[in-house]
Amino acid sequence: MSEIKEGISRRNFLGGAGLAAIGAGMLGNGMLAGCAPAKTAGEKEGSSVSSESLGEWSGKSAYAQINPQEEIDASNSIDDLSKSEFAKPFNIGKIEIANRFVKTAATSGVSNDEVQAVGYFGNIAKGGVGAVFVEGSYAFFDKIDTEYTVSTMGPDTRLTIEASPLEAVCKEIHSHNVPAFIQMKWGTPGLDNKWSNTPETGTQYMASEMSLDDIAMFAEDVANAAKKLQAIGFDGIEINAAGNNVPGWFLSRFRNDRPADDPYGPASFEGRTRFIGVLISAIKTACGEDFPVQVRMNGVEENDTDLGQDELISSVEESAELAKCLEAAGADSLHFILGVMGNHNAQFMGDGYFSGVGVAGANGFGTFFDFGKHFGGHLDGAHSGLGLMLGATEVIKKAVSIPVGAATYMDPAQAPDFFESALSDGRIDFLCINRPVANADNEYVHKFFENRLDEIRPCCRCLHCAADFGNHMGTTEGCRVNACKARAFTDEMPEGYEVPVGDGDKKVMVIGGGPAGMEAARVCAECGYSVSLYEKGALGGLLDFAESVKGKHEHLVQLKDWFVRQLDLAGVEVVTGKEVDAAFVREQKPDVVIVAVGGARQELGLSGTQATPVVPISEFLMNEPGENVVVCGFNVQAYDAAMYLLAHGKRVTIVANEPEEALGKGQSASLLGFTRPAFYAVGGRVLSMSTLDEVGDGEVKITNSAGVQLTLKADAVVNAVDMVPNTTLADELSGEFDVKCVGDCADPWDIQAAIATANLAARAC
């Protein structure tokens, strides 16, 4: 990438002084836009704030002090990662795994279409992981899933093993010299089991629901399925005994309510593990003693629904005893996750506890874990959940001799030395990873072993990939940073993951250097076009500002840095400090113009007073407001700003003329499941279907949903209302050039939408 700087230098801009110097005119008036939006009339210029100055505000919420966050040592002192502990092989049974990166079983979002499924799993295997575990949704059971399962969320669209694309998927994974395992699970929300003793109202997730005949049938059905899966090529099975999965009912005293003298009852560790032992025996009888079986189970539990009522939950010491019994029963390896009772997503995405601004530990029920006390104090809650389970696996590994792995934010590119020491010290044997390798960057492992850490596209932990119902882009299992996820081999992206070769020689001009502009330029360069990108400020748009508000847990500055590196590698000509108008475009005579200049923030139509100023969201970090703040808007920008203010001890009311369910729109549904209850718990007040009528001295007047006018104390009003499209430049150029408008300037929403629209538009150039 060649860069021409016209105006402020990148070095000055990226530093705190630069952020303060360039002002809101550069940063724009949104927060998470695709790039800086246009200034609307009436909004004054001003300076923003660097992330270093966040601590200068005086107040701090008590909730923000429960699990104070620290910077983790992200250093890498390893000269050659391909010769590190990460690269050492290990065995699951007699199957050799080439390295310590294991892609875990997790919902992929791909359909039963064979081309999609093969492309998805094959792309992951090609990226260098040591093993691929295929999701349990594909493991269909002849009796369990026909006679004993009821779908409560629409028709069950799963295919039988014979009709599924599994054989082709397995063959593709093997073509990359990677072992293929498959998970068996029985705890998918919306698929309820009806056992002999299940109440008519549906499953209660209790072990007493199953009769001895049910258990015998279950084991026979599992053995038959395993034999079919082995026949089509799978190298081993993972039994999901974690969370709400049926085998986990027997492991947990919280769910095992069978009589004390029942052979499967909770009176002994042998009784609690007997059910899984029967399944292991049935699989190995059907498939041979050398056919590996891994067990996924809770490593340490906590009662999130009734915090503190822990008498029947499994401590890490109990899990160690259970692990010993499972090893004796024939398990070849163990995979540990976080054991919580009520929040399904948290069972495999425990790092969601760190997703809200100033509310680390928010569990989705309006209460907060103290990681120094809860979970037996075995979990490290000071580093945004990075390597969260390592404290638990360290205890369990001392009890068993088979390999032990764990999930939950196992992302060694974030801290290579940290994870290297965990492996070398014997706290864990393999790293169970999904989102970073399956969604964000399929080439993660290859890049890691080639010491190209700055080229790994970071997982932002935004959870757009996890049942994000109502997603703006329609991709329920998509990805913020990788537009190919959930699109490859669909009508939107029929060519798949690879960027198609461009249509001849073209000169492409990209206007705007936020996420949308950078993605468009990157993809166009991959197509083989000559690309130049112009940005009036500095690259990144509002990502620096967004991280200042949200914190570092979503890796937004890291994402910006990844884009900058990609533009350099792709040979994109980058010109910063240059504001582009139609006349300049005509001078350059491009074949294609991609406009990515961001949206425009709407005005409130109200003037502030000296006692109660109206502050654009881009400026609210500049000076600490008083105690009472009103935030206008329900979008994710307004929501994050409100969370930031609450974290600093302010009294916050967020108001919009929209229904309450719109609060936080733009944030994924799964993430809102963690943060929205926390917002209310820490004192956030919401006025939906309401309008701000008047700003006075120290107060505002608001008409609420009942039509009653309220007078609220207010020391400041933050304008974070929705942005609107900003297509002025695109409209002026239309008809003269092939113009494509992407990101917030076309459809203001969020980072995921900005990147996706840019990627698709660039592919279509």
Side-chain angles (χ1 to χ4, degrees):
M1 174 184 69
S2 59
E3 181 176 6
I4 303 168
K5 303 179 183 69
E6 299 187 8
I8 193 164
S9 72
R10 177 181 297 174
R11 174 175 295 181
N12 289 336
F13 173 76
L14 294 182
L19 277 170
I22 65 169
M26 287 281 190
L27 287 175
N29 301 303
M31 185 167 71
L32 302 184
C35 51
K39 179 72 67 178
T40 55
E43 292 199 349
K44 62 183 180 181
E45 296 294 324
S47 61
S48 187
V49 66
S50 72
S51 59
E52 287 80 5
S53 66
L54 295 180
E56 294 175 3
W57 282 21
S58 59
K60 193 169 187 181
S61 164
Y63 298 96
Q65 301 175 52
I66 295 175
N67 296 296
Q69 297 298 289
E70 304 170 356
E71 287 284 337
I72 193 155
D73 183 0
S75 61
N76 174 32
S77 63
I78 306 167
D79 292 332
D80 188 349
L81 286 164
S82 69
K83 293 182 172 62
S84 66
E85 291 289 329
F86 298 103
K88 291 182 178 179
F90 73 101
N91 276 49
I92 297 179
K94 292 192 175 181
I95 301 296
E96 184 175 87
I97 312 300
N99 57 59
R100 303 307 175 99
F101 293 89
V102 171
K103 190 278 179 197
T104 57
T107 302
S108 65
V110 300
S111 70
N112 289 317
D113 179 86
E114 184 172 306
V115 173
Q116 280 184 272
V118 167
Y120 174 77
F121 289 106
N123 221 38
I124 295 167
K126 184 172 65 174
V129 293
V132 171
F133 279 72
V134 176
E135 64 199 74
S137 302
Y138 283 106
F140 191 90
F141 303 93
D142 292 340
K143 292 182 180 179
I144 296 171
D145 287 324
T146 54
E147 302 172 34
Y148 294 84
T149 298
V150 177
S151 177
T152 60
M153 295 176 63
D156 185 356
T157 59
R158 292 177 300 161
L159 300 176
T160 63
I161 292 171
E162 294 84 353
S164 76
L166 283 178
E167 184 170 7
V169 165
C170 192
K171 183 178 179 181
E172 176 65 19
I173 294 171
H174 283 159
S175 74
H176 300 287
N177 298 314
V178 175
F181 293 76
I182 187 166
Q183 185 186 91
M184 291 181 169
K185 70 171 183 176
W186 308 269
T188 302
L191 293 175
D192 287 353
N193 297 121
K194 286 283 193 177
W195 307 113
S196 297
N197 303 318
T198 298
E200 286 301 316
T201 53
T203 182
Q204 305 299 302
Y205 304 116
M206 303 302 285
S208 62
E209 294 179 45
M210 298 187 75
S211 69
L212 293 178
D213 287 341
D214 290 334
I215 292 172
M217 180 280 302
F218 196 107
E220 181 182 357
D221 222 18
V222 164
N224 289 337
K227 195 167 185 177
K228 292 178 183 179
L229 293 165
Q230 182 189 39
I232 61 177
F234 279 97
D235 298 294
I237 299 291
E238 178 177 73
I239 295 172
N240 193 340
N244 293 331
N245 281 272
V246 172
W249 304 356
F250 292 81
L251 289 180
S252 169
R253 290 185 298 145
F254 186 84
R255 301 201 187 283
N256 193 333
D257 58 343
R258 300 174 79 88
D261 60 351
D262 188 293
Y264 297 92
S268 68
F269 293 115
E270 291 78 13
R272 290 160 65 179
T273 56
R274 194 180 309 279
F275 180 79
I276 300 173
V278 167
L279 300 184
I280 294 171
S281 178
I283 292 170
K284 288 184 177 278
T285 298
C287 302
E289 284 297 319
D290 291 339
F291 190 66
V293 178
Q294 175 169 287
V295 177
R296 185 189 201 216
M297 60 180 286
N298 297 340
V300 58
E301 295 180 345
E302 187 61 61
N303 187 347
D304 53 351
T305 54
D306 295 298
L307 195 60
Q309 297 183 27
D310 294 344
E311 184 180 357
L312 296 179
I313 62 100
S314 294
S315 65
V316 69
E317 292 81 8
E318 278 185 69
S319 294
E321 292 298 322
L322 295 168
K324 286 163 61 175
C325 292
L326 291 173
E327 180 178 17
D332 295 285
S333 57
L334 298 169
H335 166 196
F336 291 98
I337 67 169
L338 202 62
V340 288
M341 306 299 115
N343 191 337
H344 177 75
N345 283 339
Q347 293 168 1
F348 47 92
M349 293 185 296
D351 51 323
Y353 293 140
F354 303 88
S355 56
V357 179
V359 287
N363 62 24
F365 294 95
T367 52
F368 303 85
F369 292 129
D370 181 337
F371 287 102
K373 301 173 183 176
H374 296 117
F375 299 100
H378 288 286
L379 304 184
D380 177 6
H383 301 111
S384 193
L386 189 68
L388 189 66
M389 289 294 295
L390 290 175
T393 59
E394 182 176 10
V395 174
I396 297 167
K397 258 191 64 62
K398 295 174 183 177
V400 297
S401 60
I402 54 177
V404 168
T408 301
Y409 195 16
M410 296 292 180
D411 191 349
Q414 297 298 329
D417 287 351
F418 173 75
F419 282 99
E420 165 87 0
S421 67
L423 290 167
S424 61
D425 293 346
R427 285 179 282 159
I428 195 168
D429 294 304
F430 59 98
L431 307 177
C432 300
I433 307 176
N434 179 52
R435 285 168 283 159
V437 299
N439 301 342
D441 195 332
N442 298 153
E443 291 292 314
Y444 182 116
V445 178
H446 281 325
K447 293 175 181 177
F448 186 87
F449 285 140
E450 293 168 4
N451 284 63
R452 295 188 289 138
L453 301 181
D454 61 342
E455 294 179 38
I456 295 175
R457 180 164 39 196
C459 171
C460 287
R461 307 164 70 203
C462 59
L463 305 191
H464 283 300
C465 58
D468 190 17
F469 300 109
N471 182 277
H472 188 63
M473 298 300 294
T475 52
T476 305
E477 308 285 349
C479 177
R480 172 189 280 175
V481 299
N482 182 5
C484 297
K485 177 66 170 63
R487 289 187 179 85
F489 302 111
T490 68
D491 290 343
E492 278 191 289
M493 198 178 286
E495 68 277 9
Y497 297 90
E498 301 299 324
V499 173
V501 177
D503 181 17
D505 295 328
K506 287 184 180 178
K507 181 180 178 182
V508 179
M509 184 178 189
V510 179
I511 306 171
M518 290 191 289
E519 175 74 351
R522 180 188 73 83
V523 175
C524 282
E526 281 195 39
C527 289
Y529 299 135
S530 174
V531 184
S532 56
L533 182 150
Y534 294 85
E535 163 58 45
K536 66 180 180 179
L539 293 177
L542 300 176
L543 291 176
D544 290 278
F545 180 57
E547 184 162 295
S548 293
V549 177
K550 297 169 78 70
K552 295 185 177 182
H553 61 274
E554 291 190 19
H555 306 314
L556 294 176
V557 169
Q558 201 175 116
L559 175 62
K560 178 200 70 175
D561 292 342
W562 177 84
F563 271 122
V564 172
R565 175 65 171 146
Q566 293 302 304
L567 296 180
D568 191 12
L569 292 172
V572 174
E573 179 189 30
V574 173
V575 181
T576 55
K578 171 67 178 178
E579 186 162 6
V580 172
D581 57 16
F584 182 75
V585 175
R586 294 182 183 109
E587 289 176 11
Q588 300 303 306
K589 299 178 181 179
D591 298 299
V592 179
V593 179
I594 298 179
V595 181
V597 295
R601 185 72 58 182
Q602 298 179 75
E603 294 187 62
L604 287 178
L606 296 171
S607 298
T609 66
Q610 185 172 0
T612 307
V614 175
V615 182
I617 188 172
S618 59
E619 299 176 17
F620 91 100
L621 292 176
M622 288 168 48
N623 298 297
E624 183 176 353
E627 183 180 2
N628 301 288
V629 185
V630 172
V631 177
C632 295
F634 272 8
N635 54 64
V636 68
Q637 299 96 336
Y639 184 62
D640 285 337
M643 291 290 285
Y644 182 94
L645 290 160
L646 287 166
H648 283 82
K650 309 305 177 186
R651 294 184 179 183
V652 180
T653 300
I654 186 167
V655 58
N657 192 17
E658 296 182 74
E660 186 180 8
E661 54 266 26
L663 179 66
K665 62 185 181 182
Q667 192 173 90
S668 70
S670 292
L671 216 59
L672 284 170
F674 289 96
T675 63
R676 195 182 278 165
F679 178 84
Y680 290 107
V682 301
R685 185 181 184 186
V686 174
L687 292 177
S688 61
M689 304 306 297
S690 302
T691 57
L692 178 65
D693 302 325
E694 183 181 331
V695 180
D697 281 332
E699 65 181 30
V700 297
K701 295 186 184 300
I702 296 172
T703 300
N704 72 6
S705 58
V708 176
Q709 190 170 76
L710 310 176
T711 299
L712 304 182
K713 292 181 180 180
D715 300 305
V717 175
V718 176
N719 176 16
V721 298
D722 292 353
M723 289 189 292
V724 294
N726 175 26
T727 62
T728 302
L729 180 59
D731 293 342
E732 188 175 353
L733 297 171
S734 181
E736 297 181 58
F737 300 93
D738 179 3
V739 179
K740 302 179 187 297
C741 202
V742 300
D744 283 348
C745 68
D747 181 16
W749 195 255
D750 62 10
I751 300 171
Q752 182 192 32
I755 290 175
T757 56
N759 186 293
L760 293 169
R763 286 170 179 254
C765 282

